Amino acid sequence: MTTEQKWVYNFGGGSSDGDASLKNLLGGKGANLAEMASLGLPVPPGFTITTDLCTLYYQNDRKWPNGLEQMVDNAVARIGEVVGKVFGDTGNPLLVSVRSGARASMPGMMDTVLNLGLNDETVAGLATLSGDERFAYDSYRRFIQMYSDVVLGVGHHTFEDLLDTYKEENDFFLDTDLKAADWKQVIASYKQAVEQELGRPFPQDVREQLRGAIDAVFGSWRNDRANTYRRLHNIPESWGTAVNVQAMVFGNMGESSATGVAFTRDPSTGENAYYGEFLINAQGEDVVAGIRTPQALTKRAREAMGDDAASLEEAMPETYKELEAVFQKLEKHYRDMQDIEFTIQQGKLWMLQTRNGKRTAKAALKIAVDMCDEKLITEEEAVMRVEPGSLDQLLHPSLDPDAPRDQLTKGLPASPGAASGEVVFNSDEAERLAQEGHKVILVRVETSPEDIHGMHAATGIVTARGGMTSHAAVVARGMGRPCVCGAGELRIEKDGSSFSVAGRQVAKGEKITIDGNTGQVFFGEVKTVQPELSGDFAKVMTWADKCRRMKVRANAETPLDARTALDFGAEGIGLCRTEHMFFDAERIIAVREMILAESKSGREAALTKLLPMQRGDFKELFEVMSGFPVTVRLLDPPLHEFLPHSDNEIEEVAKASGMDAEKLKARAHSLKEFNPMLGHRGCRLGVSYPEIYEMQVRAIMEAACDVSAGGDPVTPEIMIPLVAQKKELSLLKERVDAIAKAVLAEKGQELDYMVGTMIELPRAALTADKIAEDAEFFSFGTNDLTQTTFGLSRDDAGTFLPDYIRHGILERDPFVTLDQEGVGELVEIAAERGRKTRPDIKLGICGEHGGDPDSIHFVEKVGLDYVSCSPYRVPIARLAAAQSALAK
Ligand code: PEP
Ligand code: MG
């Protein structure tokens, strides 16, 4: 290892080693601090230790490489020179903050230490310098508490208990009642507690303090919260975090000091208006932690909220103007909405952070459209600005305006969408109930990063405390969960049995409904309606469609689903699973008759009943899809899904078929398979019982002829499932063609149709060149292809896949996001070999991955012609396909 490597990047004081282009190396926060410093904005000077070093740190068994210590010492000395202070100096001490900063923002997941550099001697220096002894000792006790918690592992409860005891003994109520002398006594008790617990005193050496804090921040990259957050947001562990060390500035130096967060546009609605919150005489963490309810940034927002406390615009008009100028400069520079942290120290404005702000899908669309109108970005850039997965939020229901409702209380509209569910007060319980299939609303005083799994499991979140930028609000928006924050009237019983509000009690398990668009909380379940998909959404989708190469189809069987798919912009049906057309109570009896028939004639009798039903279904589907392609897959039932189970069900089939119930029972028993997913399904069924596929092909062709006669010509795409070898397809195709020809002759009509196959078994992928001799199209059934490539049961993997993800064996569920390395390679092989035989072969994907943005990105690279997904994911697929095309 050489010492020449650059692990430390300085910024501030009129210069900057890095800039925003070094985001991977400096982390988001470090890169943006460097960029702001180079823009000449007032950034407290500091330095960033790189993410590369974090990786090295872990490779090196959490030890510092040679040379790092010297680099850190030099960088600290430089900060001191810029601000005219000295680290560890008793008369003129430099204090620093130490913060994490990964490539992707992970709000609140990792550790931070503030006020570092204070000890028994430097605190006196701070008191003299600031002219405020109380402030100095308050800062020192905050530092001891934070450092002990984060670095030394002494829980913050220890300190909270000591402070509470001190307050009680002295009849103090608020922290602000304590004077310098009080804090000195509290500090003595804190230090004693640390020494008692650790067997060594609280570190007085400021270099040792800094080293410990840097280690702790690197260490926090792998804490439980960060691990969970990374898993939920698909952030690879290998990225690592950077560490930012920066001169402290104080928002808690009296009434002319403040700290706040701001967005250059409204992160919830996207409205082009500054949006933010601040607290006078407070440190940054106070705002984010949601402990005090902050004041509005602008007069307009304050008035809209009916708040009495002065806005920053009113309280500090000069500084507010300066801040506005910074907002404008930053937004122009980054060409995106910024999320900003600032501190005002005795009237002087300092910028602590800027980053592209997280936003709701609604806001993302509005901001993209507005910025395009403002000529800040192009249409293509606008398309790239909206995260496809986030559109899911827009497809969430909102409250039916006509539904009766019973309002309990109102808080802040922190994250949009409406949700109903059973009240639950803790995150573990929320997770457990959700796993059992309950819809729950997580109700908390406030949330912390420990609640992340509960928030994820809940359909909605309510907090009693905290503002629009509190943890709950930020995380809920990121997850797309409706959330109401700061519902201040709400009181949760200590034993977690109920909450009360305005004299009413709501017990755990009772249903409530929340509206994240208005902040309202209602008793009981309120009816919801689907959103209107016009306006900004429609605009961005139109732009996306212009950029898109791949077509987007839907997996749908019913006319209702097909219509929904069309409304969402589907351009065809990529998979009509015909077995799903049989789930209806009346039909399933006929299907069971067919499956359980002992002879061909018995089967044919059942098929005769099914034929008109199928024909009718296909007619409706073809009509709804007027002219768009429709791929109909012949029967592929894992038999176990259709066999009768109860005596009652057997009896029904007996009655319909005239067969003996006992015989039927025996037949059903004999058809039971040990491994139905690998059993008598797909084309194997077609091989054994030709009459089933014959009936289906007849129904498809007759329906297509009838619909074509009256309107747009239908070109049915007939798909054979679960083919492993060319010979299976050859045999079945011959029969399909024979029936199709017969129907066309009977009808006296000419009609194009296609015959193709699913590629959903590894053998099919590998022999795709041969299969393509008979197949006019391939549709990748990546559900089965994943199942059979991994040898992982689709139906059973859910119980143990989480362990694989927890242990890092799998980064993601391969049934959700395509495993590009293995399954993806088979897709590539099959596409290439298929095209070799038949250059114009039509290629699509219809497994669940067809609606997953990352998988769509991959199949764009393979050059498939279309993706097919569930109707509600069609907009997501359209946008993801556009982004994939643009990224190429
Ligand atoms: C597949 O296997 O990916 C597929 C689409 O078919 P099914 O899910 O019906 O098995
Ligand atoms: Mg399949």
Side-chain angles (χ1 to χ4, degrees):
M1 178 184 323
T2 68
T3 51
E4 272 105 66
Q5 260 173 297
K6 189 169 170 64
W7 291 315
V8 170
Y9 284 69
N10 296 308
F11 58 81
S15 70
S16 174
D17 293 350
D19 58 36
S21 69
L22 297 182
K23 189 171 169 194
N24 292 356
L25 187 66
L26 302 181
K29 191 184 200 87
N32 283 331
L33 282 168
E35 185 83 2
M36 281 203 292
S38 60
L39 286 174
L41 295 178
V43 173
F47 63 89
T48 302
I49 309 177
T50 65
T51 55
D52 277 359
L53 195 275
C54 180
T55 309
L56 193 64
Y57 176 78
Y58 278 110
Q59 284 168 356
N60 212 14
D61 209 11
R62 302 192 186 215
K63 286 201 267 307
W64 286 28
N66 290 336
L68 178 62
E69 189 149 9
Q70 188 60 51
M71 287 184 201
V72 168
D73 284 344
N74 293 346
V76 171
R78 196 198 77 97
I79 303 178
E81 279 161 27
V82 173
V83 296
K85 295 180 196 296
V86 178
F87 194 46
D89 192 86
T90 51
N92 185 21
L94 166 69
L95 303 190
V96 295
S97 63
V98 183
R99 298 172 202 261
S100 61
R103 251 195 243 189
S105 140
M106 296 171 55
M109 299 299 136
M110 288 182 284
D111 290 334
T112 293
V113 181
L114 302 176
N115 300 322
L116 191 139
L118 281 173
N119 60 24
D120 293 352
E121 290 176 349
T122 57
V123 66
L126 180 66
T128 315
L129 272 184
S130 63
D132 186 344
E133 195 185 18
R134 183 192 179 281
F135 157 75
Y137 284 90
D138 181 19
S139 301
Y140 188 25
R141 70 91 192 180
R142 284 174 187 249
F143 169 59
I144 296 175
Q145 182 167 346
M146 205 171 201
Y147 191 91
S148 301
D149 182 19
V150 167
V151 183
L152 306 176
V154 181
H156 51 90
H157 303 293
T158 310
F159 304 102
E160 276 155 21
D161 290 350
L162 285 169
L163 181 55
D164 284 346
T165 309
Y166 187 86
K167 287 205 279 200
E168 254 164 48
E169 283 171 355
N170 292 279
D171 279 340
F172 292 140
F173 184 61
L174 297 169
D175 287 4
T176 43
D177 296 337
L178 279 78
K179 311 230 162 21
D182 298 306
W183 286 128
K184 284 182 192 174
Q185 291 197 43
V186 171
I187 287 165
S189 70
Y190 278 12
K191 288 193 338 196
Q192 200 183 3
V194 172
E195 184 152 3
Q196 222 161 36
E197 186 153 341
L198 300 179
R200 59 192 150 88
F202 184 83
Q204 294 291 312
D205 177 348
V206 294
R207 287 180 70 235
E208 180 191 340
Q209 288 176 358
L210 180 57
R211 201 182 159 113
I214 292 172
D215 277 338
V217 173
F218 278 140
S220 68
W221 174 249
R222 288 196 184 169
N223 69 26
D224 289 345
R225 303 194 300 257
N227 290 343
T228 307
Y229 190 91
R230 276 201 303 276
R231 185 160 44 75
L232 292 175
H233 291 80
N234 300 318
I235 299 171
E237 195 189 84
S238 59
W239 283 2
T241 181
V243 178
N244 298 291
V245 179
Q246 203 175 11
M248 280 295 297
V249 287
F250 295 96
N252 56 343
M253 265 198 182
E255 294 304 304
S256 64
S257 300
T259 188
V261 295
F263 293 88
T264 54
R265 303 194 185 209
D266 189 317
S268 198
T269 64
E271 192 199 353
N272 190 0
Y274 302 130
Y275 184 87
E277 295 167 335
F278 77 106
L279 282 171
I280 290 196
N281 200 7
Q283 282 203 325
E285 310 314 291
D286 300 341
V287 183
V288 187
I291 292 163
R292 275 163 66 186
T293 297
Q295 294 155 241
L297 197 69
T298 63
K299 182 164 175 254
R300 184 169 163 257
R302 176 185 70 72
E303 286 171 353
M305 283 158 54
D307 200 346
D308 292 334
S311 65
L312 188 74
E313 190 176 2
E314 294 156 304
M316 301 184 186
E318 288 303 311
T319 318
Y320 176 77
K321 271 209 192 94
E322 225 185 301
L323 194 58
E324 266 194 343
V326 172
F327 290 167
Q328 283 160 17
K329 191 165 189 172
L330 284 173
E331 212 183 66
K332 250 211 173 104
H333 180 72
Y334 285 100
R335 303 189 313 130
D336 200 355
M337 184 265 269
Q338 296 297 295
D339 168 356
I340 288 160
E341 286 179 22
F342 64 90
T343 283
I344 300 163
Q345 179 177 319
Q346 296 178 323
K348 160 110 183 86
L349 174 68
W350 291 100
M351 304 309 300
L352 300 188
Q353 165 153 306
T354 190
R355 57 185 170 197
N356 293 342
K358 285 199 187 304
R359 62 204 78 179
T360 62
K362 184 175 165 192
L365 289 165
K366 176 156 176 55
I367 291 170
V369 168
D370 284 353
M371 286 194 165
C372 193
D373 289 346
E374 292 158 27
K375 305 261 182 290
L376 212 53
I377 57 174
T378 62
E379 281 183 10
E380 280 90 359
E381 282 172 310
V383 166
M384 295 301 283
R385 288 287 169 86
V386 182
E387 203 191 308
S390 77
L391 293 182
D392 218 9
Q393 292 172 29
L394 293 180
L395 315 175
H396 285 317
S398 58
L399 293 182
D400 179 345
D402 300 327
R405 59 196 67 191
D406 171 10
Q407 181 167 329
L408 281 169
T409 188
K410 191 164 183 251
L412 299 170
S415 180
S420 302
E422 296 165 28
V423 169
V424 38
F425 296 105
N426 87 54
S427 285
D428 290 341
E429 198 169 352
E431 191 175 45
R432 184 176 56 74
L433 286 169
Q435 275 164 1
E436 289 170 12
H438 294 250
K439 281 203 213 156
V440 298
I441 304 275
L442 181 62
V443 180
R444 304 279 289 158
V445 175
E446 68 214 356
T447 66
S448 76
E450 270 83 26
D451 288 311
I452 186 157
H453 61 298
M455 297 175 75
H456 194 250
T459 56
I461 298 134
V462 179
T463 70
R465 278 212 294 250
M468 293 288 284
T469 47
S470 64
H471 177 267
V474 171
V475 174
R477 280 199 295 271
M479 286 179 175
R481 295 286 179 284
C483 175
V484 173
C485 271
E489 298 177 321
L490 199 144
R491 299 272 170 277
I492 300 177
E493 288 303 322
K494 275 216 168 74
D495 63 2
S497 61
S498 65
F499 72 75
S500 61
V501 60
R504 296 176 68 179
Q505 196 119 16
V506 180
K508 186 172 89 171
E510 285 195 276
K511 279 199 179 143
I512 60 169
T513 299
I514 65 169
D515 184 345
N517 300 312
T518 61
Q520 289 163 297
V521 180
F522 305 96
F523 185 73
E525 190 165 347
V526 182
K527 209 171 143 217
T528 53
V529 290
Q530 292 301 329
E532 189 60 46
L533 297 177
S534 54
D536 298 328
F537 173 85
K539 239 186 209 169
V540 171
M541 293 315 285
T542 313
W543 295 340
D545 289 345
K546 279 199 251 171
C547 311
R548 180 156 61 83
R549 183 193 62 81
M550 285 191 293
K551 296 273 184 210
V552 175
R553 299 194 191 183
N555 296 351
E557 293 81 42
T558 65
L560 180 69
D561 284 352
R563 264 188 217 107
T564 307
L566 281 178
D567 287 345
F568 284 139
E571 298 159 302
I573 288 185
L575 176 63
C576 164
R577 292 176 163 105
T578 49
E579 61 278 7
H580 285 193
M581 298 167 127
F582 294 142
F583 283 142
D584 185 85
E586 189 193 320
R587 296 181 182 193
I588 197 148
I589 301 176
V591 175
R592 286 181 174 148
E593 261 186 83
M594 170 186 81
I595 292 172
L596 296 174
E598 282 182 311
S599 62
K600 187 167 177 204
S601 61
R603 224 166 4 257
E604 276 172 349
L607 288 167
T608 312
K609 291 184 198 168
L610 286 170
L611 175 66
M613 300 178 192
Q614 284 260 277
R615 189 173 48 225
D617 288 344
F618 294 137
K619 264 179 84 166
E620 258 188 280
L621 206 55
F622 291 144
E623 270 161 6
V624 171
M625 296 308 295
S626 61
F628 280 124
V630 177
T631 306
V632 181
R633 182 176 74 185
L634 303 186
L635 203 65
D636 175 19
L639 274 184
H640 62 302
E641 286 180 15
F642 286 89
L643 289 177
H645 300 290
S646 64
D647 287 348
N648 211 3
E649 287 170 352
I650 300 261
E651 206 50 57
E652 282 174 344
V653 182
K655 226 195 252 158
S657 64
M659 273 175 75
D660 177 67
E662 280 311 308
K663 264 194 179 166
L664 272 176
K665 216 178 193 167
R667 170 91 176 129
H669 189 71
S670 75
L671 285 174
K672 278 223 170 76
E673 294 177 315
F674 285 109
N675 211 339
M677 273 293 186
L678 300 178
H680 204 181
R681 59 176 282 223
C683 66
R684 299 158 195 173
L685 218 55
V687 169
S688 304
Y689 308 125
E691 54 282 0
I692 299 178
Y693 279 10
E694 282 168 11
M695 177 282 285
Q696 290 198 296
V697 174
R698 175 165 284 280
I700 295 167
M701 292 305 292
E702 286 179 355
C705 285
D706 292 353
V707 175
S708 299
D712 290 328
V714 179
T715 306
E717 299 172 354
I718 299 171
M719 182 153 77
I720 316 276
L722 218 73
V723 162
Q725 330 178 35
K726 174 188 147 71
K727 279 188 183 163
E728 291 170 312
L729 182 62
S730 303
L731 174 76
L732 295 170
K733 180 174 160 42
E734 208 175 297
R735 294 188 196 156
V736 169
D737 284 336
I739 299 284
K741 272 201 195 94
V743 173
L744 293 177
E746 285 162 25
K747 295 265 180 193
Q749 269 177 259
E750 300 251 318
L751 196 75
D752 287 335
Y753 67 93
M754 293 169 81
V755 180
T757 184
M758 305 272 293
I759 300 288
E760 51 185 345
L761 294 174
R763 195 185 190 287
L766 296 171
T767 58
D769 47 349
K770 299 199 179 67
I771 292 175
E773 288 166 13
D774 284 325
E776 290 170 278
F777 63 88
F778 287 166
S779 181
F780 289 96
T782 43
N783 302 332
D784 274 311
L785 193 57
T786 300
Q787 166 167 265
T788 49
T789 302
F790 276 93
L792 197 57
S793 160
R794 281 163 75 166
D795 292 340
D796 304 308
T799 58
F800 56 86
L801 270 187
D803 298 336
Y804 270 60
I805 290 171
R806 210 180 51 244
H807 290 296
I809 300 171
L810 283 172
E811 279 203 342
R812 308 200 222 169
D813 182 340
F815 289 106
V816 175
T817 299
L818 194 79
D819 157 52
Q820 297 185 13
E821 192 183 30
V823 180
E825 171 131 27
L826 284 170
V827 171
E828 281 182 295
I829 289 172
E832 190 197 314
R833 296 187 183 170
R835 285 196 186 110
K836 209 156 73 192
T837 302
R838 194 187 283 268
D840 64 344
I841 189 164
K842 202 190 290 193
L843 302 174
I845 176 173
C846 65
E848 289 309 301
H849 307 91
D852 170 66
D854 287 337
S855 311
I856 292 173
H857 207 61
F858 174 76
V859 298
E860 168 68 36
K861 282 193 250 165
V862 181
L864 299 194
D865 299 302
Y866 68 87
V867 299
S868 189
C869 57
S870 69
Y872 278 86
R873 293 199 76 84
V874 165
I876 296 170
R878 283 163 69 196
L879 186 56
Q883 293 186 351
S884 307
L886 285 171
K888 259 182 51 179

